[in-house]
Amino acid sequence: MKRILTMFGLLSMLLLGGCAILEEANNSLDYADKATTYLDKASKFAEDVPQMAEDAVTNQEARKNLETELIAMKEEIKTFNETKAPSIAEDIHNQITEYNEKLNSGIDSYLKNIENGKWDPALLQDSEIMKTVNELTSLIDKIENLGS
C-alpha cells in the first residue's frame, strides 16, 4: 500500500510539473502574440506619423488627427507596459518598457511643441520618437523566438 501511495505521489508530481511547463509555454506564446501586435502598432505609428506631421503644418483637421494618434500611442504604451511577461520573456519585456519610456517622453515633448504652436515636422524626425520606434521594432525577432 505504501508503494502504491508513493507511486501515486510521484505520478501526481510529474503531472503537476508537466502542467506548469505547459502553462509557461502557453504564457510565452500569449505574450509573444501581444508583444508582436504591439510592435506592429508601433511600426505602423512610425510609418504614419511623419506624413501626419507634414499635413498638420497646413491643415487643422490633420493637427487634430496627429494629436489623437500621439495620444493613442501613449495609451498603447501604457497598456503594453502593464502586460505581465512570463519569466522567459522578462528581459525582452524590460527592454521594451525601457524603449517605451523614451518613446513616451518623446511623444510628450512633441505634444508640448504642438501645444506651443510648433508644427515643424523636422522636430518629429529629430525627436527620440522615430529612433526609439526603430529600436523597438528591432526586437521583433527576439519575440518571435519566444514562440519556438
Side-chain angles (χ1 to χ4, degrees):
M1 181 69 165
K2 188 174 184 181
R3 186 176 217 184
I4 292 173
L5 288 175
T6 303
M7 286 292 262
F8 182 72
L10 287 173
L11 184 59
S12 295
M13 287 174 46
L14 285 173
L15 287 174
L16 290 175
C19 289
I21 292 169
L22 184 60
E23 184 176 340
E24 182 72 15
N26 284 336
N27 289 342
S28 296
L29 289 173
D30 184 48
Y31 178 81
D33 287 343
K34 288 179 182 177
T36 301
T37 299
Y38 170 72
L39 292 179
D40 287 343
K41 288 178 184 178
S43 180
K44 178 89 170 99
F45 170 82
E47 289 173 19
D48 294 346
V49 168
Q51 185 59 52
M52 293 174 87
E54 288 283 337
D55 296 343
V57 172
T58 58
N59 183 317
Q60 179 73 23
E61 189 171 325
R63 290 178 191 160
K64 289 179 185 175
N65 290 340
L66 176 60
E67 284 183 272
T68 299
E69 190 69 24
L70 292 167
I71 292 167
M73 189 64 207
K74 284 178 63 68
E75 190 59 37
E76 291 289 339
I77 291 168
K78 180 181 178 216
T79 299
F80 183 80
N81 284 351
E82 293 171 352
T83 302
K84 174 122 175 64
S87 59
I88 194 170
E90 284 177 355
D91 289 341
I92 293 171
H93 187 75
N94 289 338
Q95 282 182 295
I96 294 172
T97 56
E98 285 175 22
Y99 286 137
N100 280 348
E101 288 174 22
K102 289 176 22 180
L103 180 57
N104 203 33
S105 176
I107 291 171
D108 285 341
S109 293
Y110 197 71
L111 283 169
K112 191 165 287 284
N113 283 332
I114 291 171
E115 199 176 285
N116 294 330
K118 297 178 183 174
W119 296 98
D120 186 356
L123 293 173
L124 178 68
Q125 291 298 331
D126 295 339
S127 73
E128 285 290 312
I129 295 173
M130 304 313 285
K131 178 183 171 195
T132 303
V133 170
N134 289 332
E135 291 170 338
L136 265 172
T137 56
S138 73
L139 296 173
I140 196 78
D141 290 336
K142 287 183 180 179
I143 291 167
E144 287 174 350
N145 287 334
L146 288 175
S148 335

